[in-house]
Amino acid sequence: MKIMNYEEFKLELEKELPKASKNELAGLEISFSKLVRTNRMMDGIKITRKGEDRGIAINIQQLYEIYLPYYDFPYTLDTIIKQVKAYFLHEDRREKEEKLSKETAKVFIQLVNMEESKEMLQHVPHRQFLDLAIIYRIVREETDQGFETGIVNNELMEALDWSEKDLYLKAMSQHIMKTKITLLDDVMLTNENMLFGANEILYTENLWKLSNKLHSDLYIIPSSIHECIVLPDDCSIHDVKEMLGAANDIIVSESNQLSYNIYHYERKTGNIKIVEKENR
């Protein structure tokens, strides 16, 4: 393995980076030039989209410092490519968010566990629901295959001049993913996309219709962030808790778990409560 000094490293970058990035960074232009940094000139790489001036500038001296510990030039090239891809991914998202408006944006709800998500909740608009938190996702882009979404954080909420109440009312009124109810041995409540479908329990008309169909109040098993299982409340609560435990411990990945509590819907009042709290 040849150990390159700085000048050799710089020449090798000029020769190899365009080759290594030909497929990974298609549509981008790479140029080597001097960078101005706090009144100093530095060797740099500028990468832009074709026909545009805005892009990312990388200090070659800093790249050489990445190379030095192990003299691993391919690793250095891979680091550059990952850095550039991350930059343009962020730029693409920022540009999409700039095109959003308060009037046209599509927003929907995601339910998360309040306790498990308390660190994240410091940075996003939310409200409590039982032992859960209601957070908001915004549709960044729609395609034939589906849509790309992101969590609304405090900065985006402020940039679009929203309040948390605005987000809640917009998400509840838009209801952009249609309700889906699957009747097998149990009733599964989700949406047609089967994404973040547990939020369907917030639409009380769903539970009212199901309770009338089953002629019973309901047990709600929050089996994952994507769906809930609904059962008549004349079944054994012990069996219901075992179903939820099995879902959380065996079937559902930790990132998709919602709660270890069972909920109870009373059709006479329309109230939803945590079963454990009812039994205390």
Side-chain angles (χ1 to χ4, degrees):
M1 173 177 54
K2 180 184 178 182
I3 299 173
M4 293 180 279
N5 62 32
Y6 176 72
E7 290 300 325
E8 290 171 330
F9 174 82
K10 189 170 64 170
L11 289 172
E12 192 71 7
L13 269 183
E14 291 183 19
K15 183 175 73 172
E16 296 299 329
L17 181 59
K19 297 178 188 176
S21 61
K22 185 175 181 181
N23 294 324
E24 294 275 7
L25 305 179
L28 300 178
E29 291 184 335
I30 301 172
S31 60
F32 291 80
S33 59
K34 293 290 184 179
L35 303 176
V36 179
R37 289 290 184 271
T38 56
N39 299 321
R40 289 186 298 148
M41 301 297 289
M42 296 182 178
D43 295 321
I45 306 169
K46 189 171 183 181
I47 302 176
T48 62
R49 288 193 177 94
K50 289 181 179 177
E52 296 183 14
D53 184 55
R54 185 175 65 174
I56 182 173
I58 303 173
N59 185 337
I60 294 178
Q61 181 63 49
Q62 291 177 348
L63 295 175
Y64 188 61
E65 290 169 6
I66 293 172
Y67 163 76
L68 279 178
Y70 305 104
Y71 307 109
D72 190 339
F73 188 74
Y75 172 77
T76 307
L77 288 177
D78 188 54
T79 299
I80 298 169
I81 291 168
K82 286 179 179 177
Q83 183 179 350
V84 172
K85 288 172 74 174
Y87 171 83
F88 282 102
L89 177 63
H90 173 78
E91 283 295 289
D92 288 343
R93 287 180 173 172
R94 188 179 63 80
E95 288 174 9
K96 288 172 187 174
E97 287 173 356
E98 285 176 352
K99 293 175 183 177
L100 296 173
S101 73
K102 189 172 183 177
E103 292 72 29
T104 61
K106 293 182 178 180
V107 179
F108 63 95
I109 284 168
Q110 179 184 347
L111 290 174
V112 297
N113 185 281
M114 190 88 180
E115 179 63 25
E116 296 296 325
S117 306
K118 59 185 178 182
E119 185 176 345
M120 178 190 69
L121 295 176
Q122 297 176 30
H123 307 285
V124 303
H126 64 278
R127 64 174 59 191
Q128 187 169 358
F129 173 74
L130 303 174
D131 60 332
L132 310 176
I134 293 171
I135 64 171
Y136 306 95
R137 300 189 75 93
I138 193 164
V139 177
R140 289 196 176 107
E141 184 177 19
E142 294 185 73
T143 67
D144 293 338
Q145 288 73 42
F147 44 75
E148 178 193 344
T149 74
I151 293 174
V152 177
N153 58 24
N154 292 334
E155 290 73 21
L156 180 57
M157 179 178 69
E158 291 171 8
L160 292 172
D161 192 27
W162 278 329
S163 66
E164 187 278 331
K165 183 179 179 181
D166 291 332
L167 285 164
Y168 180 77
L169 293 175
K170 179 179 278 288
M172 291 296 288
S173 63
Q174 286 183 332
H175 199 181
I176 64 174
M177 291 185 278
K178 294 181 180 179
T179 303
K180 179 179 179 180
I181 298 173
T182 304
L183 296 170
L184 297 168
D185 293 335
D186 311 310
V187 177
M188 186 172 74
L189 182 57
T190 182
N191 56 52
E192 288 186 343
N193 302 79
M194 298 190 74
L195 289 172
F196 313 113
N199 66 17
E200 291 295 330
I201 65 173
L202 298 172
Y203 297 91
T204 52
E205 64 269 21
N206 291 333
L207 300 176
W208 185 81
K209 289 176 183 177
L210 279 172
S211 66
N212 283 325
K213 188 177 185 68
L214 297 172
H215 307 291
S216 173
D217 293 348
L218 305 172
Y219 284 135
I220 302 168
I221 303 174
S223 48
S224 88
I225 62 173
H226 299 301
E227 79 277 321
C228 289
I229 296 170
V230 181
L231 300 168
D233 75 348
D234 58 1
C235 57
S236 164
I237 186 60
H238 175 75
D239 292 344
V240 175
K241 289 180 180 179
E242 282 198 343
M243 287 179 65
L244 178 58
N248 282 335
D249 297 338
I250 301 171
I251 302 170
V252 180
S253 65
E254 188 174 344
S255 61
N256 286 337
Q257 290 176 10
L258 190 54
S259 175
Y260 270 90
N261 286 322
I262 304 295
Y263 308 137
H264 183 259
Y265 170 77
E266 186 179 68
R267 59 176 172 165
K268 183 177 179 181
T269 63
N271 291 333
I272 305 176
K273 297 180 181 178
I274 297 175
V275 169
E276 283 77 0
K277 290 184 177 179
E278 286 185 335
N279 292 339
R280 285 172 188 166

